[in-house]
């Protein structure tokens, strides 16, 4: 295990000039992640944080609180944040989106591989709020997250009022043609989004429906590249 003291080099008193930190498959658990997020509160140099394929989430599927505080405004220098495959579940993802709605520095956010789980009875207002209010993220990746139609449609609803996001990657989920068609309707007046990847097995099972969904996205939106 990585000792929590490991991240002392990022403390503001250490005068660290590290701009990119990549920790992939390092078996980082939630307590170590807590130490990392806390030390970044006052770090003014780190711009790229890649912590993928670890165990950052707690048993309840959320991140330790300092992560959310950091994203809400404790750190205004991070530009790229990759949290892929860290066992963050639906409650933690929605909480992250809620706090990211007030973030003004991160331009690239990757959440791939964090399983949503079988969420039920939820309105997904956090993701709508994030996409409606955030003014910094231009690249969002939510691949392989067991994302289903109801949440995908809410993402489309948020994009209706988004003027920053240029690329949305959401492949390998559980989205069907129905959701793709509804998303196209929301994107009709969005002139910012350039690339949309919704390539999912459920969309590709029927050739006729696949082509119908593809034509709908091409004809009703301003997208430059469509991948389904």
């Amino acid at each position: 295990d990585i000792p929590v003291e490991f991240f002392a080099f990022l403390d503001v008193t250490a005068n660290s000039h590290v701009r990119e930190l990549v920790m992939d498959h390092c078996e980082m658990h939630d307590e170590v992640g807590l130490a990392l997020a806390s030390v970044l509160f006052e770090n003014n140099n780190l711009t790229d944080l890649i912590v993928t394929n670890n165990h950052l989430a707690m048993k309840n599927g959320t991140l330790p609180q300092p992560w959310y505080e950091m994203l809400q405004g404790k750190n205004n220098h991070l530009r790229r944040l990759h949290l892929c495959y860290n066992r963050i579940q639906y409650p933690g993802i929605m909480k992250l989106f809620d706090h990211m709605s007030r973030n003004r520095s991160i331009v690239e956010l990757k959440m791939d591989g964090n399983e949503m789980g079988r969420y039920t009875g939820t309105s997904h207002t956090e993701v709508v709020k994030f996409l409606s209010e955030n003014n910094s993220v231009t690249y969002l990746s939510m691949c392989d997250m067991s994302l289903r139609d109801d949440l995908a449609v809410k993402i489309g609803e948020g994009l209706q009022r988004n003027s920053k996001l240029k690329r949305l990657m959401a492949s390998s989920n559980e989205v069907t043609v129905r959701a793709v068609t509804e998303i196209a309707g929301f994107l009709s007046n969005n002139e910012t989004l350039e690339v949309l990847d919704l390539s999912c097995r459920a969309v590709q099972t029927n050739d006729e429906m696949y082509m119908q969904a593809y034509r709908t996205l091409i004809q009703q939106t301003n997208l430059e590249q469509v991948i389904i």
Side-chain angles (χ1 to χ4, degrees), residues 12-223:
V12 64
T13 60
N15 295 316
S16 170
H17 296 288
V18 174
R19 295 196 175 277
E20 181 181 42
L21 178 62
V22 180
M23 302 190 72
D24 181 57
H25 285 98
C26 293
E27 298 187 9
M28 290 174 58
H29 53 76
D30 58 312
E31 291 184 3
V32 176
L34 185 153
L36 171 58
S38 299
V39 80
L40 290 178
F41 279 8
E42 297 182 9
N43 183 293
N44 298 327
N45 292 303
L46 193 71
T47 59
D48 296 22
L49 179 59
I50 318 300
V51 279
T52 52
N53 294 289
N54 289 290
H55 315 296
L56 294 182
M58 299 184 293
K59 290 182 179 180
N60 64 1
T62 67
L63 292 167
Q65 185 59 27
W67 281 98
Y68 300 111
E69 295 176 10
M70 180 189 70
L71 295 175
Q72 188 167 318
K74 291 285 187 179
N75 182 301
N76 295 311
H77 299 275
L78 273 183
R79 292 182 60 78
R80 296 173 62 223
L81 177 62
H82 295 188
L83 293 172
C84 308
Y85 297 94
N86 271 295
R87 303 183 180 182
I88 311 170
Q89 297 175 4
Y90 180 84
I93 294 167
M94 289 300 110
K95 188 173 182 179
L96 184 144
F97 282 139
D98 183 45
H99 286 72
M100 275 295 299
S101 65
R102 293 177 285 279
N103 185 280
R104 294 295 178 266
S105 64
I106 293 175
V107 298
E108 181 175 295
L109 177 63
K110 290 190 175 183
M111 297 293 298
D112 303 345
N114 291 295
E115 290 280 339
M116 289 283 189
R118 300 289 102 184
Y119 55 85
T120 57
T122 52
S123 57
H124 320 305
T125 55
E126 296 88 349
V127 71
V128 177
K129 178 182 179 183
F130 160 63
L131 290 168
S132 300
E133 299 180 7
N134 179 272
N135 290 316
S136 62
V137 176
T138 61
Y139 185 107
L140 174 63
S141 188
M142 297 180 67
C143 302
D144 192 23
M145 293 180 66
S146 298
L147 189 154
R148 302 199 303 273
D149 280 0
D150 53 343
L151 183 51
V153 170
K154 285 296 181 179
I155 290 173
E157 181 180 332
L159 288 172
Q160 192 175 27
R161 297 183 289 276
N162 183 286
S163 60
K164 276 292 182 179
L165 194 68
K166 293 184 177 181
R167 299 175 68 93
L168 173 60
M169 318 307 288
S171 63
S172 301
N173 283 297
E174 300 175 15
V175 178
T176 70
V177 169
R178 181 186 69 81
V180 173
T181 302
E182 290 192 45
I183 291 171
F186 284 122
L187 292 179
S188 59
N189 294 317
N190 183 310
E191 298 181 354
T192 307
L193 192 67
E194 299 172 354
V195 179
L196 176 64
D197 184 351
L198 290 174
S199 51
C200 303
R201 185 173 299 176
V203 177
Q204 300 166 349
T205 53
N206 182 291
D207 289 346
E208 183 178 350
M209 295 182 70
Y210 169 84
M211 288 306 302
Q212 178 184 343
Y214 184 81
R215 283 195 296 268
T216 300
L217 282 170
I218 292 296
Q219 295 170 0
Q220 294 188 15
T221 72
N222 301 297
L223 291 164

